[in-house]
Amino acid sequence: MNNFNVEFYTRKDGSKPAKEFLLNLDKKMLAKITGEISLLEEYGNLLREPYSKHLEDGIFELRAKVGNDISRVLYFFYYEQRIILTNGFIKKTQRTPKNIIETAKKYRNDFLERNDNNE
């Protein structure tokens, strides 16, 4: 299928929070989440639990688990089959922390502002 295109959100300074998060994971977790990003590219909005879950307000999380370690990468959908990875975190509690979701929303708003104005 491969109808979707996964991209990293890029801040104005050029940094990519989700990419930086992924590069700091251990090899096993990076391999696991990279495989799940491939699934996301293939299935997009049809990908469901246990791989993907809608959190709130159009923000989703890609879910990866290796042993007892759990990682999440947040993302949103954009026009033309684009999926934008915003940020990630190591999960330590039952619920996704509110500040992590708020950061993803902030990045999405910045992305939309800059892309809808063709900056």
Side-chain angles (χ1 to χ4, degrees), residues 7 9 11 13 50 52 55 66 68-69 73 75 80 86 91 96-97 103 110 114:
E7 307 169 26
Y9 160 75
R11 292 183 183 124
D13 68 4
S52 174
L55 297 175
V66 175
N68 291 327
D69 297 328
V73 175
Y75 65 94
E80 299 170 346
T86 56
K91 189 157 184 178
T96 300
T103 298
D110 177 60
R114 291 190 288 137

Side-chain angles (χ1 to χ4, degrees), residues 6-20 74 76 83-87 103-104 106-112 114-115:
V6 173
E7 307 169 26
F8 291 105
Y9 160 75
T10 305
R11 292 183 183 124
K12 287 180 183 175
D13 68 4
S15 63
K16 299 177 181 189
K19 185 174 186 177
E20 292 164 11
L74 279 63
F76 64 92
I83 299 170
I84 313 301
L85 304 179
T86 56
N87 54 320
T103 298
K106 182 180 91 176
Y107 290 163
R108 178 184 59 194
N109 291 342
D110 177 60
F111 177 89
L112 294 175
R114 291 190 288 137
N115 282 274

Side-chain angles (χ1 to χ4, degrees), residues 18-36:
K19 185 174 186 177
E20 292 164 11
F21 169 75
L22 293 175
L23 293 175
N24 285 310
L25 294 173
D26 66 53
K27 288 181 183 178
K28 283 184 180 179
M29 183 62 79
L30 179 59
K32 176 85 171 185
I33 207 140
T34 300
E36 297 193 0

Side-chain angles (χ1 to χ4, degrees), residues 36-97:
E36 297 193 0
I37 289 170
S38 295
L39 287 174
L40 185 60
E41 282 185 313
E42 187 171 344
Y43 295 101
N45 55 352
L46 298 177
L47 192 65
R48 300 282 189 263
E49 289 189 54
Y51 307 106
S52 174
K53 182 178 179 183
H54 178 257
L55 297 175
E56 65 179 62
D57 193 27
I59 299 293
F60 295 79
E61 67 179 6
L62 194 62
R63 310 165 72 153
K65 183 175 181 180
V66 175
N68 291 327
D69 297 328
I70 302 171
S71 294
R72 301 286 192 255
V73 175
L74 279 63
Y75 65 94
F76 64 92
F77 292 92
Y78 190 61
Y79 298 109
E80 299 170 346
Q81 308 287 76
R82 292 168 69 191
I83 299 170
I84 313 301
L85 304 179
T86 56
N87 54 320
F89 70 104
I90 303 293
K91 189 157 184 178
K92 300 198 184 296
T93 61
Q94 196 66 18
R95 300 181 69 82
T96 300

